[in-house]
Amino acid sequence: MDIEEPVTMNQEGLSLPVGDPVTLIDGAAGTETIDAGVLVELYRRLVLGRRFNQQATALTKQGRLAVYPSTTGQEACQVGAVLALADEDWLFPTYRDTLAVLTRGVDPAEVLTLLRGDWHHGWDPHAHRVAPLATPLATQTVHAAGLARAAQLRGDSLAVLAMIGDGATSEGDFHEALNFAAVGRSPVVFFVQNNGYAISVPIDKQTAAPTLAHKAIGYGMPGVRVDGNDVAAVYETVRAAADRARAGGGPTLVEALTYRVDAHTNADDATRYRDAEEVEAWLRRDPVVRMENHLRVRGLLDEAMVEEFREGAERMAGELRARLSTDPDPDSSAGAGADALSLFDHVYARPTSQLLEQRALLARELAAGKRAAKEAIA
């Protein structure tokens, strides 16, 4: 039998992701249906996010952070997707989605707790409806699908945003999460930030699919492609997908086309697998500059507002710099993560016998160390 080329609709009536990605801000048209206040806030958050990336990168070079995976160039994905959520919705981020967590309202210093190495995690997930940063690829997509299914069973009206990179779509957890969510028609938005590389592996070495959004059809859900450097387009696309999820329409896979301007982390040398011309081409599509130009054309932004937003971002950076330049007291029992034995807290709801043995062993070693220090002084 002959295998036919994909058609524009499948048997469930789901459109295949064909054509150009959704774009709204090029020129003055395309954003009239979005409230002007929302558009300005999207831009303000972009300015804040760019400065957050710069400051976190500097702190890493100063040794204040163990590692920092920058989102410079991807700010529109993080800001647009998160501001599209409602208060009752949940966010499941990856290690690179620090700006998304910041945009959700988490304290800037707490956002970086894990990357500083002080503690497992920096905020109360239930207070912010934000899960911990996930370092292993795609594992949080399964958690997101599970929470969404639980919400269905409880009758809660909410949507869950699971953010992942293009490399995570090659993981088994990605398949399990999408399959589970699709079968149960669970309210999940799977948001893939396709920045071109899984560390050093380009997208054409990861998949033979025409686009990552095409993968959605195999699971029986819609797949949408969006210009990931257009914050308004990201906002509208995710908002529509989240509204659909809350209304019982099931999950959606969104592929946002963007670019990681900086290296994968401070431990990566990006010049080994991409050239300067490629980076320069994407710099001309800077999401902050594009949104600023669009708002100026529409008369929604003036120089005074730009300066106000930049000053606010500088204040945030200064406060973050001051707080992360203070070393924690390892001998203090005050504050999460300050006591060495607190390493074992919150690993499991009920600690395993092995974990308790390890905790007791560390406690004995710490006590012995203190006794030896006192004897040496005496």
Side-chain angles (χ1 to χ4, degrees), residues 14 182 185-187 220-222 241-252:
L14 300 175
R185 297 183 67 81
S186 300
M221 68 176 73
D243 287 349
R244 177 179 177 274
R246 287 188 223 97
T252 302

Side-chain angles (χ1 to χ4, degrees), residues 2-13:
D2 294 332
I3 303 296
E4 298 181 354
E5 292 294 320
V7 293
T8 57
M9 301 285 284
N10 74 350
Q11 64 269 28
E12 297 296 328

Side-chain angles (χ1 to χ4, degrees), residues 47-68:
V47 173
L48 194 72
R50 177 61 56 85
R51 189 66 186 91
F52 179 80
N53 271 311
Q54 293 169 344
Q55 186 59 69
T57 299
L59 288 166
T60 306
K61 294 178 179 179
Q62 296 164 7
R64 292 298 177 180
L65 294 178
V67 65
Y68 185 67

Side-chain angles (χ1 to χ4, degrees), residues 200-216:
S200 61
V201 181
I203 188 65
D204 61 355
K205 300 297 184 184
Q206 298 180 54
T207 181
T211 71
L212 294 178
H214 274 77
K215 292 178 178 286

Side-chain angles (χ1 to χ4, degrees), residues 27-48:
T31 61
E32 286 80 1
T33 59
I34 304 176
D35 182 82
V38 171
L39 293 173
V40 173
E41 178 63 8
L42 287 168
Y43 172 72
R44 186 184 75 84
R45 294 286 188 151
L46 288 178
V47 173
L48 194 72

